[in-house]
Amino acid sequence: MSFGQGGPSWGPGESRTPDWAALAEASATRARRRRWLLIGGGAVATAAVAAIVATAVITTGGGGGSGSDKNAGELPTPADLPSESSAPGPSFSSVAPPPPPDPKDYIADEKKDKGPVTVDSFFPGRKLTMGDRVYAKGATARTANCATTTQGALGGILDGNGCDQVIRATYSKGGVAVTIGLAVFGTEAEARKAAQQASGGLASLSGSGVPTFCRGGSVCRRTANSYGRYAYFTVGGYTSGKDVTTASKDVYAVGDDLTDFTFRQIHHRGEVQASAAAGAPVA
């Protein structure tokens, strides 16, 4: 048996049964030949591509090429870089500004407290509004005879501590009336001492629609406080003459509103004078 391109052929007298082992060996030989031809062709192609890439890199990176990248020698020199601005920078003072004036300094001593002392400067208008509560303003009075505005021992206490004058104003609401009295002293220490020593009380001030109250032995609520060179006192009760008890919340509410308002007025007086001093030229 011999093998041609078309397959096995047999000579005369040979058996026509194929030699399967020989056929398998021949097929394996052809397969190996084709695989080596493919591997060899791929290696040649890879080498060709690598050569093309290497040539392109050399052409674009060379010193004489036309590539867009600059050489290190073409970077700007230090002289070409922008120089620092010659304009002066901001400067800051190392001296801290003086603190703002304390408003209390201007209501603590008569030497600084130069504002006018009048009824309207402390109790302006015809009514007083505190939140949703509105009180009608009644009679007002101002006197330099401090003792005449008091009942009991308070007159001697005011005079003994150098009281200059007393301003009184009465406010009322719903059958309750309260008189507040503002006693003016020369210094904070005098006013504080008068409030601490308070005994007896302020005399109520009726009139301008408010009947006499807290006179003739009726029990009323009395308070004493001070702020700066001012001591302020209240006397409050029912216009009907009914006694005030710890359950009389309406009397307490009116009295507390009046003392709170008076404190704010005194402090505001200090704020106004401190602000004016801060805006004035330094001597």
Side-chain angles (χ1 to χ4, degrees), residues 4 49 64 87 97 108 119 129 158 181 191 229 231 275:
V49 171
V119 172
T129 302
L158 295 183
R229 71 185 187 107
S275 177

Side-chain angles (χ1 to χ4, degrees), residues 258-269:
L258 282 182
T259 56
D260 184 37
F261 175 73
T262 302
F263 170 83
R264 294 183 190 181
Q265 288 293 90
I266 298 171
H267 186 72
H268 179 67
R269 179 183 178 87

Side-chain angles (χ1 to χ4, degrees):
M1 181 185 66
S2 63
F3 296 90
Q5 293 184 353
S9 62
W10 289 268
E14 290 183 318
S15 171
R16 291 184 178 272
T17 301
D19 187 348
W20 298 111
L23 290 172
E25 178 64 25
S27 177
T29 300
R30 289 193 301 272
R32 283 193 298 271
R33 184 181 299 111
R34 284 196 300 269
R35 186 165 57 251
W36 283 110
L37 288 174
L38 290 174
I39 293 174
V44 171
T46 301
V49 171
I52 293 171
V53 172
T55 302
V57 170
I58 293 172
T59 301
T60 58
S66 60
S68 61
D69 293 340
K70 291 186 176 182
N71 293 329
E74 294 180 307
L75 293 177
T77 62
D80 297 331
L81 297 176
S83 60
E84 294 184 1
S85 174
S86 60
S91 60
F92 301 94
S93 174
S94 60
V95 180
D102 184 355
K104 192 176 180 183
D105 289 345
Y106 290 86
I107 45 96
D109 193 292
E110 63 182 350
K111 295 178 181 178
K112 278 192 172 184
D113 188 7
K114 299 298 185 181
V117 179
T118 64
V119 172
D120 288 338
S121 65
F122 286 97
F123 306 109
R126 301 178 63 180
K127 62 183 179 180
L128 172 64
T129 302
M130 298 290 285
D132 59 352
R133 301 171 299 282
V134 180
Y135 305 108
K137 183 179 177 182
T140 63
R142 176 173 176 258
T143 180
N145 191 348
C146 299
T148 62
T149 66
T150 67
Q151 291 179 322
L154 184 59
I157 293 171
L158 295 183
D159 288 343
N161 286 289
C163 177
D164 296 326
Q165 59 180 303
V166 174
I167 296 172
R168 286 183 296 168
T170 296
Y171 293 86
S172 64
K173 179 178 185 293
V176 174
V178 176
T179 295
I180 185 155
L182 184 72
V184 185
F185 296 85
T187 65
E188 180 178 18
E190 292 172 344
R192 184 188 303 113
K193 189 175 180 181
Q196 291 173 344
Q197 294 176 343
S199 179
L202 187 72
S204 64
L205 181 65
S206 59
S208 298
V210 180
T212 300
F213 67 101
C214 292
R215 299 290 180 98
S218 61
V219 177
C220 291
R221 184 197 184 209
R222 304 179 187 275
T223 67
N225 296 277
S226 70
Y227 185 58
R229 71 185 187 107
Y230 302 91
Y232 47 105
F233 309 87
T234 66
V235 55
Y238 295 103
T239 56
S240 64
K242 182 176 67 173
D243 288 344
V244 175
T245 68
T246 55
S248 303
K249 304 301 183 183
D250 47 357
V251 175
Y252 279 73
V254 179
D256 290 348
D257 277 346
L258 282 182
T259 56
D260 184 37
F261 175 73
T262 302
F263 170 83
R264 294 183 190 181
Q265 288 293 90
I266 298 171
H267 186 72
H268 179 67
R269 179 183 178 87
E271 288 180 324
V272 170
Q273 296 183 90
S275 177
V282 179

